[in-house]
Amino acid sequence: MFREKTRVLVTGGAGFLGSFLCERLLAQGCHVICADNYFTGSRDNIAHLLDNPYFEVIRHDVTIPLYVEVDRIFNLACPASPIHYQFDPVQTTKTSVHGAINMLGLAKRTKARILQASTSEVYGDPAVHPQREEYWGNVNPIGPRACYDEGKRCAETLFFDYHRQHGVAIKVIRIFNTYGPRMHPRDGRVVSNFIIQALAGEPITLYGSGEQTRSFCYVDDLIDGMIRFMDTGEEHVGPLNLGNPGEFTIRELAEAVIRLTGSKSKLVHEPLPADDPKQRRPDITRAGELLDWQPAVQLEEGLTRTIAYFDRLLSTGTGHADARRAAER
């Protein structure tokens, strides 16, 4: 585990994943610095941590260099859903590329170990199934998703080049679909979309036939794997798949949400977005062998927890203001 009061920087620390990571690191006795520009993150996500004397918050955009003294860096900063990363695609690419350069520069100066939160999107619309880390992917470099897909691929390149050229201690993980409480309610991702629509009694939107598949990892499992990998020896650099290998069609997900919410919502179909992957499932053999890790929370249990979170926000009017706006639109 981390030594007592290890100083850890979490970029994107007020986001969905970042807030859970900050919480877990504080529980382990770390001094945590959360940096976020609040484009998709929210102070609501970290409000319960603000009174902790070992938690600092900096409003900062990673495209600008940051000068702090730290032992570990988790680089999570980047909008991760299509509706957000396509809002300003040039800035999305800058966040991945310039952000990686700036955080790697900080790691080089401070001799900190640094972890890059990459993504399963580096595999694109995969021609290999399930996806192993050795697979190079099938990505459209000029499509509407390329700002995120190629930005993350370039970030991985930078991490490995800083490691080879400058000896920076790196870790690269590839995160597959992750869900849970504190998801941004208007991020356009299927889990939050379906839950908000079901709780509001609105039609649930399926893009394409609904037969495309995804694998859904509950946030607690993902954070556990992320921290375990950061704590491995410096010879283990990745890339490492982290996700739940259980594979479900989008239609199956929608039907599960309707059942668990008791909603009367009907399914409606819209055209499939450009370059949307038809299947996605991680091969987590490497993570199992290296970390003794596998997801513990099954989909129905995780959905039940996530539904309870959104239901509480919508019914009490507390927490993430965007949840209320999403239900009112």
Side-chain angles (χ1 to χ4, degrees):
M1 303 301 290
F2 294 109
R3 70 180 186 274
E4 186 177 0
K5 296 299 175 276
T6 297
R7 291 177 58 85
V8 183
L9 170 65
V10 180
T11 70
F16 163 46
L17 296 181
S19 63
F20 279 99
L21 177 59
C22 288
E23 189 175 82
R24 188 78 64 90
L25 293 170
L26 287 168
Q28 291 186 352
C30 298
H31 185 151
V32 178
I33 302 171
C34 164
D36 206 295
N37 68 354
Y38 300 112
F39 175 57
T40 58
S42 169
R43 285 182 66 87
D44 290 336
N45 291 336
I46 55 171
H48 63 297
L49 304 177
L50 296 176
D51 289 336
N52 190 313
Y54 296 105
F55 184 63
E56 299 179 53
V57 181
I58 302 172
R59 181 185 288 269
H60 186 81
D61 190 309
V62 293
T63 61
I64 302 168
L66 178 62
Y67 301 99
V68 291
E69 304 304 316
V70 291
D71 306 298
R72 299 283 187 270
I73 303 168
F74 288 84
N75 187 36
L76 275 61
C78 190
S81 69
I83 195 171
H84 289 143
Y85 66 64
Q86 292 174 354
F87 175 77
D88 187 344
V90 172
Q91 184 63 24
T92 295
T93 304
K94 287 181 178 179
T95 300
S96 288
V97 177
H98 293 184
I101 291 170
N102 289 331
M103 291 305 107
L104 285 162
L106 176 63
K108 179 184 173 186
R109 180 181 67 80
T110 61
K111 302 188 185 317
R113 181 180 295 184
I114 181 170
L115 180 144
Q116 168 67 9
S118 189
T119 172
S120 61
E121 298 299 331
V122 301
Y123 298 122
D125 188 3
V128 171
H129 195 72
Q131 292 78 59
R132 295 181 58 87
E133 290 90 348
E134 293 82 5
Y135 178 50
W136 290 354
N138 177 36
V139 175
N140 177 0
I142 59 172
R145 301 169 66 101
C147 58
Y148 185 67
D149 303 357
E150 295 288 29
K152 289 289 191 177
R153 286 163 69 94
C154 185
E156 287 195 15
T157 299
L158 287 162
F159 265 68
F160 279 88
D161 283 341
Y162 265 77
H163 174 64
R164 287 185 287 256
Q165 186 173 340
H166 300 297
V168 174
I170 67 164
K171 305 281 182 179
V172 175
I173 61 171
R174 291 173 176 166
I175 299 173
F176 284 69
N177 291 60
T178 304
Y179 70 100
R182 301 183 204 157
M183 291 185 76
H184 195 294
R186 294 195 294 176
D187 65 6
R189 289 189 258 194
V190 288
V191 173
S192 53
N193 269 7
F194 289 177
I195 292 174
I196 291 289
Q197 289 173 331
L199 290 174
E202 299 175 349
I204 288 183
T205 308
L206 297 183
Y207 292 96
S209 67
E211 296 306 309
Q212 63 269 39
T213 66
R214 295 292 186 272
S215 300
F216 301 98
C217 185
Y218 190 68
V219 59
D220 288 353
D221 289 328
L222 187 283
I223 297 302
D224 180 52
M226 186 184 301
I227 291 176
R228 288 191 191 201
F229 188 44
M230 179 62 108
D231 203 38
T232 58
E234 292 191 0
E235 71 275 16
H236 300 296
V237 297
L240 185 77
N241 287 340
L242 290 179
N244 192 318
E247 187 176 12
F248 300 87
T249 68
I250 300 302
R251 178 180 293 275
E252 288 174 329
L253 175 68
E255 291 170 346
V257 168
I258 290 172
R259 183 180 72 254
L260 293 171
T261 57
S263 175
K264 298 186 183 302
S265 295
K266 304 299 182 184
L267 303 181
V268 297
H269 292 264
E270 297 287 345
L272 193 67
D275 301 327
D276 192 64
K278 298 176 183 62
Q279 55 185 5
R280 185 65 57 74
R281 176 161 67 93
D283 184 317
I284 59 169
T285 302
R286 185 178 296 179
E289 294 173 348
L290 177 61
L291 309 179
D292 190 25
W293 174 89
Q294 63 179 359
V297 179
Q298 298 306 309
L299 182 63
E300 185 157 324
E301 179 185 355
L303 286 177
T304 299
R305 297 180 191 178
T306 309
I307 288 166
Y309 168 78
F310 281 116
D311 189 41
R312 184 172 65 253
L313 295 189
L314 296 175
S315 62
T316 65
T318 60
H320 210 312
D322 278 335
R324 301 190 295 278
R325 289 196 292 270
E328 294 164 358
R329 70 188 188 276

